[in-house]
Amino acid sequence: MEPVQTAKSSSENSGALSTLVTVFFFWGFIAAGNGVFIPFCKHYFKLDQFQSQLIDFAFYSAYYLGALTLYFIASVFGKDVIPKWGYRNSIVYGLLFSAFGAVIMILAVNANTFPGMLIGLFAVALGFSLQQTAANPFAALLGPPATGTHRITLGGGINSFGTAIGPIVVGLALFGTTKATTSDQINALVKTLGLGNVTMLYACVGILFVVAAALFFFSKKLPSGKFETEPEKSPKALGALAIMTVLLAITFIWVFRTYTVVTEDKSILQEVEMTRTKLLMVGLIVIVGTLVFSLFSAKKNSNGWGAMKYPQLVLGMLAIFTYVGVEVTIQSNLGALLTQPDFGGYKLTQVAPFISMYWGSLMVGRWTGSIKIFEPSKTLRSILIFIVPVIAFLVVLGINAIAQNDIKPLTWYIVCIILQAIAFYAGQDKPARTLLIFALAGMACMLVGIFTTGTVAIYAFLSGGLFCSIMWPAIFALAIAGLGKHTSQGSAFLVMMILGGAIIPPIQGKLSDLQSIGIHNSYWIPVFCFAYLALFAVGVKGILRRQGIDYDSSIGGH
């Protein structure tokens, strides 16, 4: 096997890394901008709430199907396309495919067809899936292993910055004002708008994709990341994932069919809601059951399982699924919680700064988690751990001020920022240890939120974003440790599990509809998610040690 092409030092790769993190920005910018398109399309195309949510469904399902397709090609044709193309070229192809999706969006807009726009968004996200499968291991490649996790975290920080400003920029592009960041305001403005601004927006986005692809293609600083490998046949893993996909498709077809029920009979509506809840739970059981079955089957006989013969990868897949689910579900249900009298009784038009701060919290954590890649001294790093999050917090407040949101209710959130800085210091840059501390802290915050009300509870739930911030890079690095030639395949499996963002939030939402549970107590779902992540942090360290990999000792530490 030809070795992966790398540069000689982290200093030589600083320019390469700055080029790479541009794609992380695109992921966050476009995904967050979709939040503006949902109410826009709902009004313009006269959609119901479920139909408008197909925007997110089309976008996030593409990640799963894109990664699954890469794996299917490798399994059938015996060639792992990402190592064959190289990490750099894979990102170029992904960017060009996303540009193709932008063209489809423009054509669909001119044809005035909502299904066509969904196809365009699906194509954009398919390109993102290819980019993300290559970019995460590529970031780890651009420098010494000791800071690999931190480079991925830096990319996540840029991603979060894109998430923070995406809705504001898209709002400006579509409506010419930053005030149109809530659904009520957007619905009022869209009455006077056509789709011409959407065409202009995606024309600009498509051009940016092409420019970024050119930067990657012609950059002499970026190693190709190309190597030849013959992927081990994994018919058992392919079979398990194929069966899981078919079962999920059947389950979601039934979920969609329940939305065709039109009646004012409350008893029938309640029965339909219960059916939806049960079907979503079936989807969760299918995913968890498939991974657990694969784990134990591969343990008995590893032949035919490919990357899934490594328990750290299978458990990491479930961890990514859980992490993405908990990150999205806290925010997705936060708006409904804030309208409750015990939580301020805010109007829907007043929750924007809280949602912004939640996503900004991920940026705060990711900026802090990326400090080490700049190789500061031990003393300077200890100082920066407390300075950087405060600066990032002020940036989030500044973004909200520009958007003319009320930032007064968020002033004392600085206390939570400081608590996260302490958690970072205690983690000592060790992935497993930091993941454990953050998972336990996230679980504690959810419990505080459940057993309190008012500002304390709101801050506790918002803090979920702080403690989710470093989980992707930590889980990713731990899950692919020791995979060797299976690293690319394992990366694709992990990207598939972004599917958690489409499964867990609806489950919490449906549970909140039950009178016996309600929106407040539905936050037990994030508690269970953080509990699993803590168990993964403990378990994976032992799994890697039994394979001769003491990850925290060799990678982490000061």
Side-chain angles (χ1 to χ4, degrees), residues 24-351:
F24 286 81
F25 175 84
F26 281 136
W27 303 336
F29 180 87
I30 299 297
N34 286 344
V36 177
F37 279 110
I38 289 174
F40 179 92
C41 291
K42 180 179 180 181
H43 182 90
Y44 189 88
F45 292 105
K46 295 180 174 57
L47 308 173
D48 60 28
Q49 184 63 20
F50 170 71
Q51 290 171 327
S52 71
Q53 293 298 315
L54 289 175
I55 290 174
D56 272 345
F57 183 83
F59 192 79
Y60 287 106
S61 64
Y63 278 92
Y64 174 74
L65 293 176
L68 183 65
T69 300
L70 288 174
Y71 169 60
F72 179 79
I73 292 173
S75 297
V76 173
F77 298 100
K79 291 291 183 182
D80 201 337
V81 294
I82 288 182
K84 184 176 179 62
W85 291 341
Y87 291 137
R88 181 179 64 186
N89 286 341
S90 295
I91 293 173
V92 170
Y93 300 151
L95 285 165
L96 293 177
F97 201 92
S98 292
F100 173 68
V103 172
I104 295 177
M105 277 287 292
I106 294 171
L107 295 175
V109 166
N110 290 328
N112 202 36
T113 167
F114 180 64
M117 292 178 69
L118 293 180
I119 294 173
L121 284 171
F122 183 83
V124 169
L126 273 179
F128 284 1
S129 177
L130 177 56
Q131 294 166 42
Q132 191 155 140
T133 303
N136 284 287
F138 199 20
L141 174 69
L142 295 177
T147 54
T149 300
H150 306 290
R151 285 189 292 279
I152 299 175
T153 302
L154 175 63
I158 302 300
N159 174 273
S160 294
F161 183 65
T163 301
I165 70 171
I168 295 174
V169 174
V170 172
L172 277 170
L174 293 179
F175 312 117
T177 173
T178 58
K179 293 182 179 180
T181 55
T182 67
S183 58
D184 289 348
Q185 293 165 338
I186 291 171
N187 284 333
L189 280 174
V190 78
K191 293 178 182 179
T192 61
L193 295 172
L195 293 174
N197 288 353
V198 179
T199 299
M200 182 60 67
L201 173 66
Y202 266 87
C204 293
V205 167
I207 291 171
L208 288 175
F209 285 147
V210 174
V211 170
L215 285 175
F216 272 86
F217 185 77
F218 293 108
S219 176
K220 296 180 180 180
K221 297 178 180 179
L222 284 170
S224 69
K226 182 183 296 186
F227 59 100
E228 293 293 334
T229 180
E230 292 293 333
E232 180 182 331
K233 297 293 184 180
S234 53
K236 294 179 182 178
L238 179 62
L241 292 173
I243 292 172
M244 183 180 81
T245 302
V246 170
L247 292 176
L248 286 175
I250 294 172
T251 300
F252 278 104
I253 288 173
W254 285 352
V255 170
F256 297 151
R257 289 186 63 183
T258 64
Y259 282 88
T260 63
V261 177
V262 179
T263 179
E264 295 183 358
D265 190 322
K266 292 184 178 180
S267 62
I268 294 178
L269 289 175
Q270 186 176 7
E271 183 178 347
V272 169
E273 288 296 326
M274 185 59 69
T275 300
R276 293 171 186 166
T277 304
K278 291 178 180 178
L279 288 172
L280 288 169
M281 291 300 296
V282 168
L284 178 63
I285 292 171
V286 166
I287 294 170
V288 176
T290 300
L291 294 178
V292 171
F293 170 80
S294 301
L295 178 66
F296 285 101
S297 296
K299 186 176 181 180
K300 292 180 180 178
N301 184 359
S302 63
N303 292 331
W305 283 102
M308 290 182 72
K309 69 183 178 181
Y310 295 94
Q312 65 266 35
L313 188 277
V314 178
L315 294 175
M317 291 169 67
L318 185 55
I320 289 289
F321 176 87
T322 305
Y323 148 70
V324 175
V326 72
E327 177 184 279
V328 176
T329 197
I330 293 172
Q331 179 270 151
S332 294
N333 293 281
L334 189 60
L337 182 75
L338 292 172
T339 62
Q340 302 299 307
D342 288 342
F343 297 89
Y346 294 96
K347 296 179 181 179
L348 287 176
T349 55
Q350 297 175 309
V351 304

